[in-house]
């Protein structure tokens, strides 16, 4: 299935990945980078309600069902955190393995991997973020997928990489889609550097693989939307989309365009309350959230 050189490289990659993890455990507090991951873990584990709950707006419901299944087996293990660490390790192994498989100077590349690990991997493992995990996992899968450059494809490796890319999307759909950028850049590089012998067949393999992955992702996204629609009303979905647009992304301040805020009945006091996550006022609704989020600053005309 794998050549001796590839087996040697994967052993080195796995050992290095666990070294980064152990070093991070010994030197860093090992925390979530933001409270988003904390909220995901609280919801999925059911630590506050007593019942694991698979639905969370940040992740795909299919992944939620899988992780809550783990919590049903044992509630003493922080499964969401452990799952995130595992995905990070798989991505790191994939990247390191892919780099070593294509290295012309193995010792120089090993040195680069070690320097990069101390500079980046240790910090990422010590500060887990659900937006970074799918980036690392999908990059590792793309590295391995394009390292599979032999006349006979290793279909087992292709299957594992495909599963990893789908999981990257389930973990965080917006971030998981970076796999398309990785794949496009890797394919362009592959086409430009590969000889013409069998090029069309190899490109067809990669394009066919990503098309199949895309079909699975589309299906999972459709199922996720159907499941969440059954749980949430249309009004709640619209309100939540507006809240996310206003609270999670840059928008104009009250001073930049007070007319827009006042057109929705907001004054400075209400704007301050909303910034502190106080949404009790009836004027704080989906329409005002979306309207203010999409507004532009009010610039004064320059003096002539």
């Amino acid at each position: 299935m794998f050549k001796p050189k590839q087996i040697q490289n994967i052993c080195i990659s796995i050992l290095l990945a666990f070294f980064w993890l152990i070093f991070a455990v010994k030197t860093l507090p090992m925390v979530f980078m933001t409270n988003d991951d904390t909220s995901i873990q609280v919801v999925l584990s059911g630590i506050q309600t007593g019942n694991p709950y698979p639905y969370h707006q940040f992740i795909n419901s299919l992944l939620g069902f899988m992780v809550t299944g783990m919590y049903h087996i044992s509630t003493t293990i922080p499964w969401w955190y452990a799952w995130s660490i595992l995905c990070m390790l798989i991505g790191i192994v994939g990247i390191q393995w892919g780099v070593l498989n294509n290295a012309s100077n193995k010792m120089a590349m090993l040195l680069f991997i070690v320097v990069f690990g101390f500079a980046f991997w240790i910090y990422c493992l010590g500060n887990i973020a659900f937006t970074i995990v799918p980036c690392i996992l999908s990059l590792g899968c793309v590295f391995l997928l394009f390292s599979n450059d032999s006349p006979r494809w290793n279909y087992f490796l292709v299957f594992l990489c495909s599963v990893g890319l789908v999981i990257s999307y389930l973990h965080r759909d917006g971030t998981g889609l970076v796999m398309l950028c990785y794949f496009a850049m890797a394919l362009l590089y592959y086409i430009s550097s590969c000889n013409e012998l069998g090029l069309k067949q190899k490109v067809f393999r990669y394009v066919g693989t990503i098309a199949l992955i895309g079909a699975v992702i589309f299906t999972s996204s459709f199922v996720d939307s159907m499941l969440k629609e059954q749980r949430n009303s249309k009004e709640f979905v619209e309100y939540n989309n507006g809240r996310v647009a206003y609270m999670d992304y840059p928008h104009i301040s009250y001073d930049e365009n007070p007319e827009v805020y006042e057109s929705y009945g907001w004054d400075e006091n209400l704007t301050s309350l909303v910034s502190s996550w106080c949404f009790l006022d009836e004027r704080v609704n989906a329409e005002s959230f979306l309207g203010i989020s999409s507004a532009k600053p009010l610039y004064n005309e320059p003096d002539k």
Side-chain angles (χ1 to χ4, degrees):
M1 183 177 293
F2 296 113
K3 299 176 182 179
K5 176 185 174 183
Q6 293 176 320
I7 295 175
Q8 182 186 52
N9 289 339
I10 193 173
C11 290
I12 294 173
S13 302
I14 292 173
L15 289 174
L16 280 172
F18 277 99
F19 173 77
W20 307 136
L21 177 61
I22 294 171
F23 195 92
V25 171
K26 294 294 185 180
T27 58
L28 297 175
M30 301 298 288
V31 295
F32 288 126
M33 185 180 294
T34 68
N35 60 3
D36 291 335
D37 275 285
T38 303
S39 72
I40 295 173
Q41 182 163 267
V42 167
V43 171
L44 297 183
S45 65
I47 191 172
Q48 293 182 344
T49 62
N51 294 307
Y53 189 73
Y55 300 99
H56 195 285
Q57 63 176 340
F58 292 152
I59 65 173
N60 191 286
S61 300
L62 299 179
L63 178 60
F65 276 105
M66 186 181 73
V67 178
T68 52
M70 300 176 187
Y71 281 108
H72 281 295
I73 296 173
S74 173
T75 57
T76 59
I77 300 174
W79 287 110
W80 176 251
Y81 185 79
W83 169 260
S84 299
I85 290 287
L86 176 62
C87 290
M88 282 285 293
L89 289 175
I90 293 173
I92 292 172
V93 170
I95 293 171
Q96 294 177 159
W97 188 20
V99 169
L100 290 174
N101 284 341
N102 294 277
S104 56
N105 187 331
K106 190 171 182 179
M107 292 305 299
M109 195 55 65
L110 267 175
L111 178 61
F112 170 78
I113 289 174
V114 170
V115 172
F116 190 84
F118 278 108
F120 189 69
W121 294 142
I122 293 172
Y123 176 81
C124 290
L125 288 167
N127 298 270
I128 291 294
F130 78 110
T131 52
I132 295 178
V133 170
C135 291
I136 305 302
L137 177 59
S138 60
L139 183 57
C141 292
V142 170
F143 254 105
L144 288 183
L145 195 60
F146 279 86
S147 297
N148 187 26
D149 186 23
S150 59
R152 295 183 61 186
W153 250 26
N154 188 329
Y155 287 99
F156 178 69
L157 183 61
V158 173
F159 173 76
L160 291 180
C161 292
S162 300
V163 171
L165 290 172
V166 172
I167 290 175
S168 298
Y169 178 82
L170 298 181
H171 202 98
R172 170 65 167 166
D173 54 3
T175 311
L177 288 175
V178 299
M179 76 177 80
L180 298 177
C181 300
Y182 294 152
F183 197 93
M185 289 187 291
L187 186 60
L188 287 173
Y189 175 80
Y190 184 81
I191 293 174
S192 63
S193 61
C194 185
N195 57 48
E196 295 184 3
L197 183 62
L199 178 60
K200 290 183 179 180
Q201 181 183 6
K202 293 176 182 178
V203 171
F204 179 78
R205 286 176 176 176
Y206 289 122
V207 173
T209 301
I210 198 64
L212 181 60
I213 293 170
V216 175
I217 286 174
F218 176 82
T219 303
S220 66
S221 181
F222 177 76
V223 172
D224 176 61
S225 62
M226 292 291 292
L227 290 172
K228 288 180 177 177
E229 283 180 6
Q230 293 177 359
R231 289 280 173 174
N232 303 311
S233 65
K234 180 180 178 181
E235 291 75 16
F236 173 80
V237 172
E238 292 177 352
Y239 180 86
N240 191 57
N241 289 338
R243 181 199 61 79
V244 170
Y246 183 86
M247 298 299 295
D248 293 354
Y249 296 94
H251 58 270
I252 60 170
S253 65
Y254 183 88
D255 294 332
E256 288 178 310
N257 197 336
E259 293 181 2
V260 170
Y261 281 82
E262 292 168 1
S263 68
Y264 293 100
W266 289 30
D267 54 23
E268 288 188 87
N269 291 332
L270 181 57
T271 303
S272 178
L273 286 172
V274 172
S275 67
S276 299
W277 294 79
C278 182
F279 307 144
L280 296 177
D281 197 290
E282 293 182 354
R283 293 168 291 177
V284 183
N285 49 51
E287 181 183 3
S288 59
F289 272 141
L290 291 172
I292 295 173
S293 300
S294 60
K296 304 296 182 182
L298 181 62
Y299 295 105
N300 296 323
E301 291 290 332
D303 296 331
K304 295 182 180 179

